[in-house]
Amino acid sequence: MRKSDKKLDNQICKTLTVVCETALEHIYGFQWLTHRVDYQRFPASLKITCVFTDESDLERIRMQHEDTSLRNLISEALADIGIQLANPEAQIRFDSEDACEASHQGNWARRLG
């Protein structure tokens, strides 16, 4: 990773940490989020995964349109540091601890890889 990539990654991490803290306070069932990126294809390669406790939490946030609110929160926070997501619906996804446990025995690195 180039020095400029590392600097940008640090900015993304700080920004997403603030989003995570906000989501933990305001969205029931939200647990954590992470990102993956290939800086050779940035920003199109930026993928953010928001993790909830279980599938019922995911269904609830979709029914209450909190998924849209969380996507907007992430997109706006990234825009504040100069990163525009071309396709937030594809670049920000939702998952659950239960789904990872069921299909990947809780191995998030394998699931996200």
Side-chain angles (χ1 to χ4, degrees), residues 3-4 15:
K3 188 175 180 179
S4 60
T15 299

Side-chain angles (χ1 to χ4, degrees), residues 15-76:
T15 299
L16 292 178
T17 296
V18 172
V19 169
C20 185
E21 290 168 358
T22 300
L24 281 167
E25 289 179 25
H26 299 287
I27 302 175
Y28 179 81
F30 177 83
Q31 295 296 308
W32 53 279
L33 59 77
T34 190
H35 75 286
R36 293 195 174 240
V37 64
D38 172 1
Y39 284 102
Q40 301 286 335
R41 301 180 309 109
F42 181 80
S45 67
L46 180 60
K47 305 284 186 208
I48 299 157
T49 303
C50 301
V51 179
F52 288 77
T53 306
D54 55 40
E55 293 300 308
S56 64
D57 289 334
L58 289 176
E59 183 61 28
R60 186 193 51 73
I61 68 157
R62 289 181 179 117
M63 296 290 284
Q64 296 177 352
H65 305 288
E66 288 181 308
D67 58 331
T68 302
S69 297
L70 186 51
R71 274 193 184 96
N72 289 340
L73 180 64
I74 293 168
S75 296
E76 290 168 9

Side-chain angles (χ1 to χ4, degrees), residues 32 51-55 93 95-112:
W32 53 279
V51 179
F52 288 77
T53 306
D54 55 40
E55 293 300 308
R93 58 181 227 116
D95 207 341
S96 74
E97 293 281 0
D98 285 354
C100 180
E101 186 63 39
S103 63
H104 292 89
Q105 294 70 47
N107 186 332
W108 279 101
R110 197 173 76 207
R111 185 169 180 84
L112 296 173

